[in-house]
Amino acid sequence: MGEPFALLMPVYRGDDAAHFTKAFASSVMQQTRRPDQVVLVQDGPVDDELAAAIEAAIAGCPVPAVHHVIAENVGLTRALTEGLALSEHDIVARMDADDVSLPERFARQVPLVEGGLDLVGTGMLEFLDDDGSIVGKRVPRTDAADIVAYARFHDPFSHPTVVYRRSAVDRVGGYQAMGLMEDYWLFARMIAGGAKVGNLAEPLVMYRVGAGAYARRGGRAQWRSELALQRALRGIRFTTRRQYVRNVTVRGVYRFVPERVRTSLYRRFIANGGTGTTIEH
């Protein structure tokens, strides 16, 4: 028993059919507490192999499922917005099409939302594409005050792990385009709007790390998104002037250091919830 919830999963042409099948099964059939609805948003055309995997997943889904197809690739922000509108339930769990949910994920997260939280994330295990070996662990901050303070410097949630109330998302305007950081922008607005937040340190999602995963965290495109985000956070007074300068400087440098340095910095200071850094409240 308990409040019903929906699983929201976007998929697009860049996703691998086998990875999608595993992600779908792990988040539906293999959960000790299954979602009550699945909303699968297909963002644009996909190849025949992925299309067949999607069809098989929907046909074999043990709970009501919606396969929403967007004719052209429109990006994650719009895909998630359209998917949320199709959810029949206020509690919504996010999942990406190339990760793996551990069996107790929803049994552990959903009761926290039922108990009063608006947004709950979890820890993650990073695993390699090729052999599945675990190469890293992300441990988020769990105390609400620490999460709020840390959010002034870095996203305190891993987007593929979150469960939230759609009503709390809608109250702050939903997903909005912010370069490559629409999730951080949403969570910051939710916190600024008074959402009750939490994290489980326990890793309940396995995050697939492919070639170039850390390279994609750097470069000019990431820097442009970073600068736009920091300006937006300052614009809603989520950060102080001092925090803005700190963020632009520290996070800006991070985008341009060599990949091996960026990987080392990420694992030391970010993957453990920023506990290696002093964050200004």
Side-chain angles (χ1 to χ4, degrees):
M1 300 297 291
E3 191 172 347
F5 72 100
L7 172 70
L8 174 58
M9 178 186 291
V11 60
Y12 81 118
R13 63 176 176 265
D15 290 316
D16 176 87
H19 296 169
F20 162 78
T21 298
K22 189 170 185 178
F24 190 93
S26 73
S27 302
V28 183
M29 286 77 84
Q30 296 167 9
Q31 286 294 305
T32 59
R33 179 173 178 178
R34 289 177 174 175
D36 298 274
Q37 180 196 24
V38 173
V39 179
L40 182 66
V41 182
Q42 181 182 317
D43 184 14
V46 297
D47 62 33
D48 291 343
E49 186 178 9
L50 182 54
I54 292 171
E55 183 179 357
I58 295 296
C61 188
V63 301
V66 175
H67 177 201
H68 178 61
V69 180
I70 303 174
E72 300 295 330
N73 179 257
V74 294
L76 188 60
T77 298
R78 181 172 158 189
L80 292 176
T81 298
E82 294 193 16
L84 276 177
L86 294 171
S87 171
E88 296 178 354
H89 309 298
D90 192 42
I91 299 180
V92 177
R94 273 281 290 115
M95 182 62 182
D96 283 346
D98 57 352
D99 299 329
V100 178
S101 290
L102 297 184
E104 292 292 322
R105 179 187 169 190
F106 300 142
R108 297 275 285 115
Q109 279 185 282
V110 174
L112 297 179
V113 181
E114 292 172 323
L117 295 184
D118 297 303
L119 170 62
V120 179
T122 79
M124 295 199 303
L125 294 175
E126 296 181 346
F127 71 104
L128 292 178
D129 265 339
D130 50 3
D131 61 4
S133 59
I134 304 299
V135 296
K137 182 178 181 180
R138 302 189 192 181
V139 182
R141 297 191 175 206
T142 56
D143 178 77
D146 285 345
I147 291 171
V148 170
Y150 186 54
R152 267 67 182 186
F153 175 69
H154 192 275
D155 189 349
F157 302 97
S158 294
H159 195 197
T161 75
V162 298
V163 175
Y164 46 50
R165 284 203 175 272
R166 184 182 61 182
S167 54
V169 172
D170 290 343
R171 275 198 298 272
V172 297
Y175 284 96
Q176 297 174 4
M178 185 53 69
L180 304 171
M181 300 182 183
E182 65 284 321
D183 54 334
Y184 188 0
W185 177 228
L186 170 63
F187 302 150
R189 285 181 287 120
M190 290 179 72
I191 291 172
K196 297 178 180 179
V197 299
N199 269 318
L200 290 168
E202 181 181 356
L204 294 171
V205 173
M206 295 182 65
Y207 178 76
R208 191 180 299 275
V209 180
Y214 291 98
R216 290 191 294 271
R217 297 180 185 275
R220 292 188 180 278
Q222 280 282 357
W223 165 240
R224 286 193 292 270
S225 294
E226 182 71 65
L227 188 58
L229 172 68
Q230 295 304 328
R231 287 171 173 167
L233 294 177
R234 179 66 192 128
I236 64 170
R237 301 296 189 265
F238 189 71
T239 54
T240 65
R241 290 188 180 88
R242 181 177 178 181
Q243 289 168 338
Y244 170 82
V245 172
R246 174 202 62 189
N247 294 352
V248 169
T249 302
V250 175
R251 291 173 61 90
V253 168
Y254 174 78
R255 301 301 177 187
F256 289 102
V257 297
E259 181 181 353
R260 60 180 178 80
V261 177
R262 185 160 53 248
T263 301
S264 176
L265 290 172
Y266 179 86
R267 295 204 180 282
R268 182 176 179 185
F269 296 113
I270 304 302
N272 64 354
T275 53
T277 61
T278 299
I279 303 300
E280 175 189 344
H281 287 63

